[in-house]
Amino acid sequence: MGSRRLRLENLFVPIHIDVTVEVNGEQKQLERQSVGTVLAVYPRLALLAAPGGGKSTLLKRLAVAYADPARRENVADNLPSRTWFPLFFRCRELRGLARASFAELLEALSQREPVRQYATVFRSYVDRELLAGRVLLLVDGLDEISDPGDRAAFVCTIRTVLQAYPGIAIVVTSREAGFRHVAAHLSPVCTQATVSTFDPDDIRRLSVAWHQEVVGDTEKVRTDAEHLANTIVQNDRINRLAVNPLLLTTLLLVKRWVGSLPTRRAVLYGKAVEVLLMTWNTEGHDPIPEEEALPQLCYVASEMMLSKVERISRRRLAVLIQEARDALPTELGYVKGTVEEFIHRVEDRSSLLMMTGLDVEDGQLVEFFEFRHLTFQEFLAARAMVDGWHPGRNEGDTLVSVLEPYFEDEKWREVIPLAAVMGGKATEALINRLTEIVHAKANVKDDDSTFIALVNCLADEAAARPETIRAAILELVRSGCSLTQQPSCKMLCRGRYGGELREEAENAFMSASEDLVNPARALIATITGEFTESLETEALLAIITNYIAMLDSKERLARCKGALCFGTICNELGFRVSDVVPKILSEVFSNAVFLIEHLLFEPYLQEQSAAAYALGAIPIARDEPSQYVLDRLVWLWRKSNSKVIRGEASNALINQPISTRRQEWNFDSLLPEEIEKIFLKYHESHNLEDQAAALVVGWYCQGFSDTELKQHAHALLKRFTSFDPIIRNTLNALLVQLGEEPQIIASMVVPNTTPVASWLQ
């Protein structure tokens, strides 16, 4: 790769940018605009991005496109049709010219090969184009002028040129961290914009283009590239890297070098570091020996994690590297080269540790460094904790003793599971300790750092004895609601320990007498991991048909799972009671509702809970409710010994259709005085769901007068400015039946934009 010249257009993925502009006196943020669209309106841009964000590649694209108009159409990036003459300045290469005049900068350009032999003609042509306003200045890496005085002088030169030649265009790039010291000088003459991160389509385009160019342009190569891109996009942690173009290219190199993209992220990150140190930019530099680089980088990364920083000054960096060499004589006793040489090599050779700008330290403006991505800092810190390459190391340290002080630290949530995967036999004690701490907590919150670390350890398939894994999984099931809120939950369900999670969730749910919700949510997660919001129609129908087969099973557990999953798929994919059930699904939904309603009458809590939960989410595909079902839901709402079932039954009542009253309904499951109590105690309840359910019951049995129903419905809609659209729709349907217009509150509207919802229209 390093010695092979590739054609830019074959690999270039059109860059999008976010820009803030003034519209009618107000600032408006425009996201993911094509560069061409913005450049056509704002031809003077200051473009910011994170390291590896695509700034330099974009400037190369602009230089080629306007130097050779025939190549402009090779990429669909909508560049404006202008006869600009591009002048490219790479700030890192300016050195002594940073304080030079613009004339001296042009003279330096004219003396570069292969222009030098045409220097006079070149200068004459540039002067003419400047006066005609047909020049496009491309300034790459403004923050890479390290001396603040030099940078200020260079910015003044740019401003002078833009004032002298008002018709010319400019795109100047900088890393975000290094721009703020010059922002005030450029803002009056340039529109500031930020390079957008890659979206899934961008990731797919680069993956396919890279493979076609590097591997070969065949159908199999394209299919493999698309499969790899899907793997990257669907893995949240890998996707967080891939949104950066340079890091995505690193992942593609790892796949090419290793033969496949490791799915375990600790292995993936390790290979990525190895690629960056050993094979990146091989034409320009010698490889950096991994056995020398890793201990030093790990020491730095761990100290940065301990200090809770993501940036470090050059002086502090040099001190830490020297500390590492002194503290780790076994690993680093024979390292060659000075500390400064190592810093320079790592930055230039691998870009793993990068200078990202200047900032003030001890009253001086100095260079600051950071790891290319926080993920690499976290990975190297985890490796440091496992191998003892960290500050303050003691002979008696264990993996638990060095990590436990940071169990509750949000910044260490990723470090701990990475260390668990790399910890070998020490991982057993680490998972045991995490499990003990979670077990001691009565209620686990969604953002509990120790709980999240334990989930991530199992999702990353950290190795331990089966009994240790089982004990950890029991704690996850006990906090099933929090488990399902973790991004790594689906990965856990699909991974090595997914089977154990399903078994423990099934056992916990079927044996529960009080807490039905947590094991139910864990159980749902193990089944519904197979669907996503982007499912095609046929795949969605297949999944729903499978759930109906479960509902029709003779096994109690299967019926409960079918009901739970049917309700969940309706919730997650955007179905609402107000949706018109499409013809293709109407029969399926009718069958499902019929089977689920039968579960309400089973004597077991599990069936009652699962059925009530599902009926609170499924669009009821009929015009009026069943009196028997309504009666049963009212009994469960008022008389069930389970608080969970009472709440689920009230939701199911609210989800019943509001139809024309043909006669006064009787609820035979409750005594008349119990029914009357619902209405007499209406104002004593402060629970929105209970009040809405009372209005549904009151409509059918005429427990309230029509005037009272109108007043209560309006009051609820005004009192709660944001709540579940099912409740809002039910209250509005009630108002319509009472002869009033539905009440619409803008802040209450919840638009449904999922692909499946669009398909349902």
Side-chain angles (χ1 to χ4, degrees):
M1 270 299 292
S3 60
R4 179 180 173 186
R5 187 174 295 275
L6 304 175
R7 190 175 176 88
L8 175 64
E9 289 89 345
N10 294 349
L11 288 173
F12 184 75
V13 172
I15 297 292
H16 293 84
I17 60 179
D18 305 332
V19 60
T20 301
V21 298
E22 188 171 312
V23 179
N24 298 325
E26 296 182 0
Q27 296 294 310
K28 184 177 182 181
Q29 177 78 9
L30 304 177
E31 296 183 348
R32 291 195 62 79
Q33 304 295 304
S34 73
V35 171
T37 300
V38 176
L39 200 55
V41 181
Y42 304 99
R44 293 184 171 184
L45 288 177
L47 198 56
L48 310 182
K55 306 180 300 294
S56 298
T57 305
L58 173 60
L59 289 199
K60 291 175 184 177
R61 160 63 184 160
L62 294 175
V64 169
Y66 288 104
D68 184 359
R71 297 174 66 174
R72 192 181 309 161
E73 304 304 319
N74 291 348
V75 177
D77 50 5
N78 197 30
L79 293 181
S81 297
R82 301 288 296 272
T83 56
W84 282 327
F85 180 68
L87 295 176
F88 197 113
F89 297 95
R90 185 173 284 109
C91 291
R92 175 173 286 199
E93 298 176 356
L94 290 177
R95 299 182 178 89
L97 289 170
R99 292 178 180 266
S101 66
F102 189 58
E104 291 170 325
L105 290 171
L106 292 178
E107 179 62 26
L109 274 183
S110 70
Q111 295 304 311
R112 299 185 66 173
E113 296 294 349
V115 178
R116 187 168 59 85
Q117 56 184 320
Y118 309 107
T120 303
V121 176
F122 173 79
R123 285 298 309 275
S124 176
Y125 184 80
V126 169
D127 288 342
R128 185 169 66 249
E129 296 302 288
L130 284 167
L131 291 170
R134 291 194 295 265
V135 165
L136 172 61
L137 294 180
L138 301 171
V139 181
D140 186 31
L142 186 60
D143 59 296
E144 294 181 19
I145 303 176
S146 57
D147 183 84
D150 288 350
R151 189 185 309 107
F154 183 72
V155 169
C156 286
T157 300
I158 291 176
R159 289 191 58 171
T160 300
V161 172
L162 295 177
Q163 291 167 354
Y165 304 104
I168 69 173
I170 183 173
V171 179
V172 55
T173 71
S174 174
R175 295 170 183 172
E176 296 179 60
F179 184 72
R180 58 179 176 269
H181 295 289
V182 295
H185 302 290
L186 280 177
S187 294
V189 292
C190 292
T191 299
Q192 186 173 321
T194 303
V195 176
S196 309
T197 56
F198 269 8
D199 68 5
D201 289 337
D202 293 332
I203 292 171
R204 292 185 180 94
R205 278 193 288 267
L206 182 55
S207 178
V208 171
W210 191 91
H211 280 83
Q212 287 177 320
E213 186 71 10
V214 175
V215 183
D217 190 3
T218 67
E219 187 62 33
K220 183 180 184 306
V221 168
R222 181 181 179 85
T223 300
D224 290 346
E226 290 177 345
H227 176 73
L228 174 62
N230 289 334
T231 299
I232 291 172
V233 168
Q234 292 171 10
N235 187 309
D236 178 67
R237 292 185 177 123
I238 300 177
N239 188 67
R240 274 184 273 170
L241 297 178
V243 296
N244 180 289
L246 193 58
L247 292 177
L248 174 57
T249 306
T250 303
L251 295 178
L252 298 177
L253 277 170
V254 168
K255 192 266 182 183
R256 174 72 170 160
W257 188 40
V258 177
S260 61
L261 192 66
T263 54
R264 298 179 67 184
R265 63 189 182 120
V267 178
L268 173 63
Y269 300 162
K271 292 298 181 183
V273 168
E274 193 174 346
V275 164
L276 290 170
L277 291 175
M278 297 296 293
T279 64
W280 193 263
N281 192 20
T282 54
E283 184 177 357
H285 306 275
D286 294 330
I288 303 175
E290 185 179 357
E291 65 274 11
E292 292 183 7
L294 271 184
Q296 297 179 81
L297 293 173
C298 287
Y299 194 93
V300 171
S302 60
E303 172 57 28
M304 291 172 70
M305 290 300 304
L306 292 167
S307 301
K308 300 183 178 181
V309 299
E310 295 175 19
R311 300 171 66 238
I312 188 171
S313 70
R314 177 180 283 274
R315 287 183 296 189
R316 180 60 179 153
L317 176 60
V319 168
L320 288 177
I321 292 174
Q322 187 58 57
E323 279 185 14
R325 294 183 178 193
D326 295 338
L328 306 172
T330 303
E331 296 88 346
L332 302 174
Y334 292 93
V335 170
K336 297 178 181 179
T338 67
V339 168
E340 283 300 323
E341 288 172 343
F342 177 75
I343 294 173
H344 181 73
R345 287 187 71 196
V346 169
E347 183 187 15
D348 277 359
R349 172 67 184 81
S350 70
S351 295
L352 184 58
L353 190 64
M354 309 174 73
M355 197 278 285
T356 56
L358 296 155
D359 212 334
V360 176
E361 183 182 68
D362 298 330
Q364 292 184 318
L365 201 60
V366 297
E367 292 179 345
F368 270 73
F369 286 73
E370 64 185 60
F371 285 94
R372 175 185 284 187
H373 194 281
L374 178 59
T375 292
F376 290 121
Q377 180 179 324
E378 293 167 336
F379 167 77
L380 292 168
R383 178 75 184 269
M385 294 300 174
V386 170
D387 290 335
W389 298 339
H390 57 85
R393 179 185 62 160
N394 296 309
E395 289 300 323
D397 283 344
T398 65
L399 191 57
V400 171
S401 69
V402 297
L403 289 177
E404 186 167 355
Y406 311 103
F407 281 177
E408 298 294 337
D409 192 328
E410 181 180 351
K411 290 185 177 295
W412 284 71
R413 286 179 180 175
E414 300 295 335
V415 177
I416 292 168
L418 285 169
V421 173
M422 296 184 284
K425 293 183 178 180
T427 299
E428 184 90 26
L430 178 61
I431 293 180
N432 272 328
R433 185 58 185 143
L434 289 168
T435 302
E436 289 171 1
I437 293 174
V438 171
H439 179 73
K441 299 180 179 183
N443 294 299
V444 173
K445 297 181 179 179
D446 294 351
D447 61 351
D448 186 285
S449 292
T450 304
F451 179 78
I452 293 171
L454 182 59
V455 175
N456 289 342
C457 283
L458 299 192
D460 285 338
E461 301 179 358
R465 293 181 298 173
E467 53 265 37
T468 300
I469 298 300
R470 286 275 181 178
I473 284 175
L474 279 173
E475 294 307 315
L476 303 191
V477 171
R478 187 174 67 88
S479 302
C481 292
S482 294
L483 171 64
T484 57
Q485 297 304 307
Q486 307 311 318
S488 57
C489 179
K490 283 192 175 182
M491 192 187 317
L492 170 59
C493 294
R494 296 170 180 169
R496 177 193 295 177
Y497 304 133
E500 285 86 347
L501 177 62
R502 183 177 61 255
E503 290 176 15
E504 295 299 339
E506 290 173 350
N507 293 337
F509 179 74
M510 296 307 290
S511 61
S513 58
E514 296 182 4
D515 181 11
L516 289 161
V517 175
N518 279 296
R521 296 300 179 270
L523 180 56
I524 290 168
T526 65
I527 307 169
T528 57
E530 60 191 335
F531 70 79
T532 65
E533 290 186 355
S534 59
L535 275 176
E536 297 294 334
T537 303
E538 291 184 3
L540 178 61
L541 282 172
I543 290 173
I544 292 176
T545 301
N546 179 53
Y547 293 163
I548 290 180
M550 295 165 68
L551 285 168
D552 205 23
S553 170
K554 294 181 180 180
E555 298 291 331
R556 287 184 59 212
L557 175 61
R559 293 197 298 272
C560 290
K561 287 161 65 174
L564 290 171
C565 292
F566 214 102
T568 299
I569 199 171
C570 289
N571 274 329
E572 294 203 10
L573 298 188
F575 295 112
R576 288 292 182 261
V577 69
S578 60
D579 289 332
V580 177
V581 180
K583 292 181 179 179
I584 194 171
L585 285 181
S586 60
E587 184 177 349
V588 173
F589 271 65
S590 296
N591 291 340
V593 170
F594 175 78
L595 293 169
I596 291 170
E597 287 176 343
H598 272 270
L599 293 180
L600 288 173
F601 297 89
E602 293 288 340
Y604 304 105
L605 296 179
Q606 287 75 13
E607 282 89 334
Q608 295 169 9
S609 174
Y613 166 77
L615 292 175
I618 299 175
I620 307 299
R622 58 171 176 246
D623 295 330
E624 62 180 42
S626 159
Q627 182 169 351
Y628 298 106
V629 171
L630 211 60
D631 187 43
R632 180 60 173 170
L633 286 174
V634 170
W635 187 90
L636 291 172
W637 172 42
R638 304 302 295 182
K639 303 291 285 184
S640 175
N641 292 325
S642 168
K643 180 180 178 181
V644 171
I645 293 177
R646 292 198 300 271
E648 289 167 336
S650 71
N651 288 331
L653 276 170
I654 297 166
N655 198 17
Q656 296 300 302
I658 302 295
S659 62
T660 303
R661 286 182 303 207
R662 298 179 181 176
Q663 58 184 8
E664 181 180 336
W665 285 25
N666 295 315
F667 293 94
D668 298 329
S669 61
L670 298 181
L671 296 173
E673 55 267 29
E674 292 175 321
I675 292 291
E676 186 178 1
K677 185 178 179 181
I678 295 174
F679 313 121
L680 293 175
K681 300 288 186 178
Y682 176 83
H683 286 293
E684 294 182 12
S685 173
H686 299 288
N687 182 283
L688 170 64
E689 288 79 9
D690 282 345
Q691 288 185 320
L695 295 184
V696 173
V697 175
W699 164 254
Y700 282 110
C701 73
Q702 299 184 35
F704 293 115
S705 69
D706 287 357
T707 300
E708 288 175 321
L709 284 171
K710 292 177 186 179
Q711 291 174 344
H712 293 327
H714 280 300
L716 285 184
L717 285 169
K718 290 178 181 178
R719 179 178 160 200
F720 297 95
T721 58
S722 177
F723 47 67
D724 192 314
I726 289 181
I727 300 178
R728 183 183 70 245
N729 293 335
T730 296
L731 294 176
N732 276 322
L734 185 59
L735 289 174
V736 170
Q737 290 291 344
L738 292 166
E740 296 214 354
E741 292 293 325
Q743 185 173 325
I744 304 297
I745 300 175
S747 62
M748 292 163 49
V749 176
V750 182
N752 204 329
T753 57
T754 66
V756 171
S758 300
W759 165 72
L760 282 173
Q761 300 303 314

